[in-house]
């Protein structure tokens, strides 16, 4: 690579290895992509794909070809996240987050850029780019040549020597033995020894706890290598470092294996094929023009007016017509198109909306706005229809695309599609993005996040409805029976709309400051929650039937008592009959008629009457509670048990609750009563598999802890820090009673106040709950705020913030919109104010448990445990684990959950272990 004006016009670059000593330049392509992406501002080509990393890489490669001498050149890339190191240490790099979605489409474009310059792009499954760089460098040194590594990666510094040098591509700074010695305190040959002792938290290399870079360098300087250090440890002066070396010797040895680069990895291309060659001029011009890199074309002297026109973006006006894919060749062409695009929207058509029973009918893909297809797989074809591919034909062709780390797969409600694909045998789908969740983190509480609603809101387009293609009522047909032309128009449009929504919503994550929340929490939870749903929880059907029989017996007795109180039989489920009996026949005062003219008999009315001492309303309330538990849980759960697994598989809704909480359906397991006898009876039916136990891990008083944090209340913070009984402390402060004299009833009243205040309880509501007059309750609330003025200040501040911005931020940056905060209706406005006050607390609690959920599966695997997370209910996580590892798994769950966030008071997690959920809770 003799100096020349430009790489593209340099004459006579082709050179034989026989005529000169080999000087091999090895570019760390994977490392540079990330550096360029984070160093350069966002840049988009005409079709909207971000290309800042491609631009940085392209200019780096052009400068390299121009300024640095060499005879051979290759760019080395990582082939995937899993390598041979994971075979002997599964936790290696387990905690690394996936790459940003804006970067994923650029991976394929960087490889295309490399090829456009005529430079080999090399990768090898099972090995890291660093291993290939090390092996090529070793090979060229054995052949008597030199190697120059273009990278600043500290892991590659162990290779530096007389015949191997490094160059930082951004700083243009050479890295030789002197620079390595300055950084590590040891020469290059001993870098691996230092790295083994100090470990690397980013790559999850354990090292020896407590030994940092300086300590590791001192030990290696004194003893020479890791084994010598470990051998000398028992004779060292007693210290924490000595004890750590002895206790964690195995970690040091495994760490050395992890950090040492392979020098004998298979070489995908021989050295002879890496000889520098001139690029194909037209190919290079075409690639740079397609990306819109006019400045690079000018700088390289490739002026050619026709080439300066970037590739026209795909049509984005109309929705359809779309292609129905019915041959292997057509499907392969779509896969190639999606691969080159670096992104594609994916959608599935299924037999059911419940993922446990849903089976694939077809798949749709979109590669650009207006460019989409539908792949029917299980339609009932009419005579004369084109043939359709079978799943056995189509899925093996699609699977490599779905698993390709360089192609971003975009879904609307990705969790559902991932489960459908998993049921069809396609379990590796990565990386993914979800337009539903992107919208959710940007505007939770402002509107719904279904595709049709988002399409109308952002695209001004009403998609074809399911009813339009399947009919309604008795005339509805299964989607598998829909003609292929109509099915294609409907299904492919879904993928097209999803892609267009992504183009609009994805860039707004930075604008709304929601990117970190989405990337580190919501997106990473998709496969985790999908795995929880697939796992399900085992249910004892016999126990449920016994509970149902018990509830039915008690309901029958309650019916008889209600008849006695009313003076005759009636339908307890009829609100009309009940109202007439209470307010007309029995003459109970206080009745109100609804808009239809019938008496109102909802739960609030019956509760008021029961508190006034009326027996029939109290009896109806008790009957209704049992009826609801029987119908919603005992009867329904038996029907929901999967006959194959013996488990129920709830579906978690990730984008419903404005505060970020998960909810569940089919069945709903979030609302089982916690402290009632009936709720305990139902929880006893949730059991562990033989040889296993259930582990419950529950945050203690997390919303009160968050209140102490966000409102900055010294008294409450002090109580939590010193592990005091917060309700007894409140009783002492509010009622002026010494802490030692607080009895159970007084504590109960303080507890009601603590929780009531954060939910915006009124004096009337608190009085009813405590059995005191509204006036007395009002005085109690006044005393409470006098003792804790910070709470009143927090409430006022939060309401004002909501009025000004329209939303509230949780402590972790989640935006919770409060649409009715400025409503003219006083009742609606008061409701919105209570929601605003509660949002940072309930939303903060949701964020904290989600942060823990992101970390727990990897932590369990890293610890070598078979325990798995199977359920989340508000502030509680439920695990199923072998009996032999229950205590270890419980301790790990406590640690991870308590460390999920750092706030001004401790996060306390209570765990329990049992054969069923009631025992564990």
């Amino acid at each position: 690579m003799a100096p020349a004006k430009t790489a593209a016009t340099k004459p006579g670059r082709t050179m034989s290895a026989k005529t000169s000593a080999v000087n091999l330049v090895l570019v760390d392509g994977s490392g540079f992509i990330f550096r360029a992406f984070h160093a350069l501002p966002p840049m988009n080509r005409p079709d909207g794909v971000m290309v800042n990393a491609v631009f940085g890489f392209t200019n780096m490669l052009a400068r390299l070809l121009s300024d640095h001498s060499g005879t051979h050149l290759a760019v080395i890339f990582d082939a995937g996240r899993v390598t041979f190191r994971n075979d002997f240490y599964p936790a290696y790099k387990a905690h690394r987050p996936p790459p940003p979605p804006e970067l994923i489409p650029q991976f394929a474009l960087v490889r295309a850029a490399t090829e456009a310059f005529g430079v080999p792009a090399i990768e090898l499954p099972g090995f890291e780019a660093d291993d290939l760089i090390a092996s090529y460098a070793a090979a060229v040194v054995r052949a008597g040549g030199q190697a120059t590594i273009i990278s600043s990666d500290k892991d590659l510094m162990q290779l530096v020597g007389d015949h191997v040098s490094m160059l930082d591509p951004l700083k243009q700074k050479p890295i030789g033995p002197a620079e390595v010695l300055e950084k590590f305190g040891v020469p290059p040959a001993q870098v691996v020894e230092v790295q083994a002792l100090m470990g690397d938290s980013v790559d999850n290399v354990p090292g020896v706890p407590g030994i940092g870079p300086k300590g590791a360098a001192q030990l290696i300087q004194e003893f020479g290598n890791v084994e010598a250090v470990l051998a000398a440890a028992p004779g060292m002066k007693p210290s924490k470092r000595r004890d750590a070396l002895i206790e964690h010797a195995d970690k040091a040895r495994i760490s050395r294996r992890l950090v040492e680069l392979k020098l004998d990895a298979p070489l995908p291309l021989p050295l002879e094929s890496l000889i520098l060659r001139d690029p194909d001029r037209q190919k290079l011009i075409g690639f740079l023009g397609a990306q819109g890199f006019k400045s690079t074309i000018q700088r390289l002297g490739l002026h050619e007016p026709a080439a300066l026109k970037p590739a026209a973006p795909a049509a984005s006006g109309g929705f359809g017509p779309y292609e129905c894919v019915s041959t292997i060749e057509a499907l392969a062409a779509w896969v190639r198109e999606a691969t080159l695009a670096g992104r594609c929207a994916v959608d599935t058509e299924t037999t059911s909306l419940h993922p446990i029973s849903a089976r694939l009918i077809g798949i749709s893909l979109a590669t650009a706005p207006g460019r989409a297809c539908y792949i029917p797989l299980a339609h009932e074809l009419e005579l004369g229809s084109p043939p359709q591919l079978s799943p056995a034909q189509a899925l093996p062709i699609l699977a490599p695309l779905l698993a390709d780390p360089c192609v971003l797969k975009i879904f609307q409600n990705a969790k559902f599609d991932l489960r459908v694909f998993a049921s069809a045998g396609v379990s590796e789908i990565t990386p993914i993005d979800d337009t539903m969740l992107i919208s959710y983190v940007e505007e939770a509480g402002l509107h719904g996040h279904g595709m049709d609603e988002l399409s109308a809101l952002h695209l001004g387009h009403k998609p074809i409805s399911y009813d339009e293609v399947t009919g309604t009522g008795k005339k509805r047909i299964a989607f598998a029976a829909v003609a292929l032309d109509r099915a294609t128009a409907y299904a492919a449009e879904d993928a097209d709309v999803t892609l267009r929504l992504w183009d609009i919503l994805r860039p707004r994550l930075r604008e709304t400051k929601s990117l970190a929340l989405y990337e580190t929490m919501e997106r990473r939870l998709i496969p985790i929650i999908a795995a929880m749903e697939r796992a399900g929880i085992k249910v004892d059907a016999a126990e449920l039937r016994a509970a149902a029989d018990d509830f039915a017996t008690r309901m029958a007795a309650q019916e008889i008592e209600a008849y006695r109180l009313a003076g005759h039989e009636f339908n307890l489920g009829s609100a009309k009959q009940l109202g007439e009996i209470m307010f007309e026949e029995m003459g109970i005062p206080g009745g109100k008629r609804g808009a239809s003219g019938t008496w109102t008999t909802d739960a609030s009315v019956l509760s008021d009457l029961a508190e006034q001492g009326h027996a029939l309303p109290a009896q109806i309330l008790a009957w209704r509670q049992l009826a609801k538990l029987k119908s919603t849980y005992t009867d329904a759960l038996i029907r929901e048990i999967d006959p194959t697994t013996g488990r129920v598989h709830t579906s978690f809704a990730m984008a419903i609750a404005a505060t970020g909480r998960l909810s569940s359906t089919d069945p709903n397991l979030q609302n089982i009563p916690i402290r009632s006898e009936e709720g305990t009876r139902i929880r006893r039916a949730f059991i562990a598999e033989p040889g296993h136990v259930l582990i419950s891990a529950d945050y203690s008083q997390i919303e009160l802890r968050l209140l102490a944090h966000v409102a900055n209340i010294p008294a409450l913070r002090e109580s939590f820090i010193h592990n005091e009984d917060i309700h007894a402390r409140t009783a002492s402060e509010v009622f002026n009673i010494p802490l030692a004299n607080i009895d159970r009833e007084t504590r109960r009243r303080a507890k009601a106040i603590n929780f009531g205040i954060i939910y915006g309880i009124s004096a009337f509501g608190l009085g009813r709950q405590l059995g005191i007059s509204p006036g007395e309750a009002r005085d109690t609330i006044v005393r409470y705020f006098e003792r804790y003025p910070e709470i009143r200040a927090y409430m006022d501040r939060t309401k004002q913030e909501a009025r000004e911005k329209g939303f509230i931020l949780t402590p972790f940056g989640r935006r919770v919109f409060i649409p009715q905060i400025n409503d003219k209706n006083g009742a609606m406005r008061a409701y919105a104010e209570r929601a605003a006050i509660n949002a940072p607390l309930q939303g903060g609690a949701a964020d904290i448990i989600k942060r823990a959920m992101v970390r727990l599966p990897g932590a369990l695997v890293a610890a070598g445990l078979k325990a798995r997370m199977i359920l989340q209910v508000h502030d509680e996580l439920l695990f199923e684990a072998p009996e032999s590892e229950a205590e270890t798994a419980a301790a790990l769950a406590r640690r991870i959950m308590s460390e999920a966030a750092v706030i001004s008071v401790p996060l306390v997690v209570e765990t329990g272990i049992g054969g069923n959920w009631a025992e564990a809770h």
Side-chain angles (χ1 to χ4, degrees):
M1 260 185 278
K5 187 172 182 180
T6 66
T9 57
K10 185 191 295 185
R13 277 177 46 200
T14 303
M15 190 171 188
S16 169
K18 295 181 180 180
T19 61
S20 174
V22 174
N23 185 354
L24 173 62
V25 177
L26 296 161
V27 180
D28 177 11
S30 293
F32 190 80
I33 291 172
F34 283 91
R35 292 194 66 178
F37 176 77
H38 292 293
L40 296 175
M43 294 173 55
N44 294 82
R45 67 185 190 187
D47 64 357
V49 174
M50 191 176 287
V51 289
N52 60 334
V54 185
F55 181 75
F57 180 89
T58 298
N59 285 294
M60 181 278 294
L61 191 56
R63 182 170 62 179
L64 178 70
L65 290 168
S66 173
D67 296 344
H68 299 287
S69 59
T71 61
H72 295 60
L73 175 64
V75 180
I76 314 296
F77 296 99
D78 285 317
R81 294 173 69 91
V82 178
T83 70
F84 71 92
R85 291 176 175 84
N86 297 101
D87 293 339
F88 63 86
Y89 193 68
Y92 180 61
K93 293 190 175 182
H95 300 324
R96 277 203 174 188
E102 306 101 313
L103 177 58
I104 290 166
Q106 301 189 64
F107 290 146
L109 292 174
V110 165
R111 285 164 171 77
T114 307
E115 294 171 1
F117 275 99
V119 177
I122 301 175
E123 58 188 75
L124 183 63
F127 294 88
E128 296 181 57
D130 289 358
D131 295 309
L132 288 181
I133 290 172
S135 297
Y136 270 111
V140 79
V141 169
R142 286 195 297 271
Q146 301 269 341
T148 302
I149 300 170
I150 309 300
S151 176
S152 60
D153 187 347
K154 68 182 188 314
D155 295 335
L156 290 167
M157 293 182 185
Q158 61 185 268
L159 303 173
V160 171
D162 292 339
H163 302 287
V164 180
S165 60
M166 290 178 64
L167 178 75
D168 185 323
L170 294 185
K171 298 179 181 178
Q172 288 294 294
K173 174 185 175 183
I175 300 172
E179 287 74 22
V180 175
L181 181 63
E182 181 181 355
K183 180 174 182 61
F184 284 97
V186 295
Q190 291 179 314
V191 165
V192 66
E193 313 293 341
V194 170
Q195 288 182 306
L197 290 178
M198 59 186 276
D200 187 337
S201 60
V202 174
D203 289 346
N204 212 24
V205 176
V208 177
I211 295 183
K214 290 185 178 179
Q218 291 170 354
L219 287 169
I220 298 304
Q221 289 167 3
E222 182 176 355
F223 296 101
N225 57 50
V226 168
E227 283 301 332
V229 170
L230 297 178
M236 293 179 183
K237 183 179 178 181
S239 64
K240 289 184 179 179
R241 185 173 74 172
R242 169 188 174 276
D243 294 343
L245 287 168
I246 295 171
E247 181 181 354
H248 300 287
D250 288 343
K251 288 183 179 179
R253 292 187 176 96
I254 200 79
S255 297
R256 196 189 184 289
R257 289 180 64 193
L258 290 172
V259 298
E260 185 175 30
L261 298 180
K262 292 281 284 186
L263 299 177
D264 57 354
L267 303 182
L269 294 176
L271 285 174
E272 308 86 68
S273 64
L274 309 186
I275 295 174
L276 278 170
R277 293 180 175 84
D278 288 317
D280 181 313
R281 181 184 178 89
Q282 291 306 314
K283 183 177 181 180
L284 182 58
I285 291 172
F287 173 81
L288 296 173
Q291 312 314 311
F293 295 166
K294 296 180 182 180
S295 61
T296 305
I297 293 174
Q298 297 260 3
R299 190 165 57 254
L300 295 180
L302 300 172
H303 303 41
E304 192 167 301
L308 293 178
K309 288 185 178 181
S316 59
F319 288 84
Y322 303 111
E323 180 181 341
C324 181
V325 175
S326 59
T327 67
I328 289 175
E329 292 74 20
L331 179 57
W334 274 96
V335 169
R336 286 194 296 273
E337 183 176 321
T339 302
L340 287 174
R343 63 171 188 171
C344 66
V346 184
D347 191 37
T348 60
E349 300 303 330
T350 63
T351 58
S352 168
L353 292 179
H354 197 307
I356 192 67
S357 58
R359 296 294 177 265
L360 264 177
I361 296 175
I363 301 167
S364 49
L365 303 175
T367 56
R371 176 75 178 149
C373 71
Y374 178 58
I375 310 149
L377 301 175
H379 278 261
E380 301 164 7
L381 298 181
E382 298 177 354
L383 191 64
S385 296
Q388 64 183 332
L389 297 174
S390 69
Q393 292 173 305
L395 292 178
I397 298 172
L398 285 166
L401 170 68
L402 296 173
D404 190 336
C406 299
V407 181
L408 177 67
K409 273 68 66 173
I410 304 163
F411 297 89
Q412 166 73 18
N413 191 6
K415 177 172 64 64
F416 177 85
D417 294 301
L418 260 59
R419 287 201 58 188
V420 170
F421 275 117
S423 296
V426 181
S427 57
E428 187 178 359
I429 303 179
T430 187
I432 61 174
D433 240 349
D434 190 332
T435 49
M436 179 183 75
L437 293 182
I438 293 173
S439 173
Y440 179 60
V441 300
E442 291 175 345
E443 296 181 335
L446 199 57
H447 53 75
H449 308 281
M451 189 197 74
D452 288 358
E453 186 170 351
L454 294 179
S455 179
L457 183 64
H458 298 293
L459 304 177
H461 173 71
K462 181 181 181 297
I464 301 169
S465 72
Y466 188 75
D467 289 349
E468 288 178 69
V469 294
T470 63
T472 59
K474 293 181 179 179
K475 295 182 179 180
R476 187 187 291 279
I477 61 175
F479 190 78
V482 174
L484 290 186
D485 58 342
R486 296 171 66 214
T488 297
Y490 167 80
E493 184 188 53
D494 281 358
D496 187 5
V497 167
T498 298
L499 186 65
R500 297 186 200 221
L501 288 173
W502 186 86
D503 284 338
I504 292 171
L505 296 174
R506 196 59 172 74
R508 290 177 50 189
L509 284 171
R510 290 185 185 275
E511 298 169 18
T512 59
K513 299 181 180 179
S514 304
L515 182 61
L517 181 76
Y518 174 72
E519 286 293 342
T520 63
M521 190 182 301
E522 299 294 345
R523 188 163 79 111
R524 295 178 69 183
L525 276 173
I526 296 170
I528 292 170
I529 295 177
M532 289 169 58
E533 292 181 352
R534 286 195 303 271
I537 180 169
K538 192 173 182 65
V539 172
D540 185 342
E543 178 67 27
L544 280 179
R545 291 190 187 97
D549 291 343
D550 177 43
F551 292 169
T553 300
R554 292 165 59 186
M555 287 171 63
Q558 289 169 342
E559 288 179 14
I560 293 172
E561 178 61 14
Y563 298 157
R564 187 189 68 78
L565 293 169
H568 60 82
E569 292 188 6
F570 66 99
N571 181 357
L572 271 67
S574 170
K576 181 176 182 296
Q577 291 184 34
L578 178 62
E580 291 171 351
I581 290 170
M582 289 195 306
F583 302 119
E584 295 177 14
E585 296 179 17
M586 300 179 70
I588 297 176
K592 294 181 180 178
R593 294 184 184 272
S596 64
T598 58
W599 295 102
T600 301
T601 60
D602 60 22
S604 62
V605 171
L606 295 181
S607 295
D608 287 344
L609 295 176
E611 288 174 5
Q612 294 169 25
H614 297 288
L616 181 58
Q619 195 69 27
I620 297 298
L621 279 174
W623 181 87
R624 282 185 181 179
Q625 182 186 30
L626 280 180
K628 181 178 180 181
L629 290 175
K630 185 176 184 299
S631 63
T632 305
Y633 293 110
T634 57
D635 296 348
L637 279 173
I638 292 172
R639 294 193 297 269
E640 293 283 354
I641 298 173
D642 184 88
T644 304
T645 64
R647 303 167 80 91
V648 294
H649 301 264
T650 189
S651 295
F652 289 98
M654 299 180 66
I656 298 294
T659 56
R661 280 196 183 277
L662 296 175
S663 55
S664 74
T665 57
D666 303 321
N668 178 3
L669 301 180
Q670 301 274 340
N671 294 330
I672 301 174
I674 295 175
R675 293 176 179 85
S676 71
E677 176 189 344
E678 293 80 10
T680 300
R681 182 73 186 270
I682 293 170
R683 287 174 182 244
R684 279 208 299 267
F686 293 85
I687 60 175
E689 292 284 355
H692 290 67
V693 292
L694 297 182
I695 302 168
S696 169
D698 198 355
Y699 281 110
S700 171
Q701 300 172 333
I702 190 167
E703 292 185 18
L704 282 177
R705 293 172 189 271
L706 280 164
L707 176 65
H709 171 72
V710 299
N712 192 20
I713 308 167
L716 293 185
R717 287 171 56 186
E718 181 184 351
S719 290
F720 282 125
I721 290 170
H722 292 97
N723 198 29
E724 292 179 351
D725 183 330
I726 194 68
H727 301 309
R729 171 73 178 261
T730 298
S732 175
E733 299 278 358
V734 173
F735 302 124
N736 292 317
I737 301 172
L739 196 60
N741 296 341
I742 301 298
D743 59 22
R744 185 172 182 177
E745 176 58 23
T746 307
R747 183 186 182 278
R748 185 191 69 81
R749 295 177 68 189
K751 182 177 180 180
I753 297 168
N754 274 330
F755 285 111
I757 292 296
I758 66 175
Y759 290 111
I761 198 167
S762 65
F764 179 79
L766 182 63
R768 187 174 62 184
Q769 194 167 337
L770 297 180
I772 58 179
S773 69
E776 189 179 350
R778 191 175 297 107
D779 291 341
T780 300
I781 293 174
V782 168
R783 288 200 306 273
Y784 187 90
F785 284 133
E786 285 175 351
R787 184 61 194 88
Y788 301 122
E790 301 89 353
I791 296 180
R792 172 63 76 188
Y794 158 74
M795 297 169 89
D796 292 341
R797 183 173 68 247
T798 303
K799 288 187 289 186
Q800 183 61 30
E801 180 183 344
R803 282 191 285 267
E804 292 174 357
K805 297 180 179 178
F807 63 85
I808 291 298
L809 285 176
T810 72
F812 305 96
R814 182 182 299 277
R815 288 156 53 114
V816 180
F817 279 84
I818 315 291
Q820 292 84 26
I821 191 66
N822 292 310
D823 201 288
K824 293 181 180 179
N825 182 296
M828 293 297 295
R829 189 170 61 252
Y831 173 82
E833 289 176 349
R834 290 194 297 272
I837 291 165
N838 184 245
L841 312 180
Q842 191 176 104
D847 291 340
I848 289 173
I849 199 165
K850 282 183 171 181
R851 288 160 70 105
M853 291 172 71
V854 166
R855 293 183 56 195
L856 275 162
L860 290 168
V861 171
L865 300 176
K866 295 179 181 178
R868 57 180 177 171
M869 190 164 57
I870 59 173
L871 193 62
Q872 189 257 27
V873 179
H874 302 314
D875 304 325
E876 177 187 10
L877 291 175
L878 197 66
F879 304 81
E880 188 172 36
E883 292 178 6
S884 59
E885 61 180 49
E887 293 292 347
T888 303
L892 184 142
R894 281 196 302 273
R895 179 176 64 81
I896 295 295
M897 291 174 69
S898 63
E899 295 174 354
V902 177
I903 60 176
S904 56
V905 300
L907 292 177
V908 175
V909 178
E910 298 170 348
T911 56
I913 300 170
N916 62 60
W917 192 4
E919 290 178 357
H921 186 74

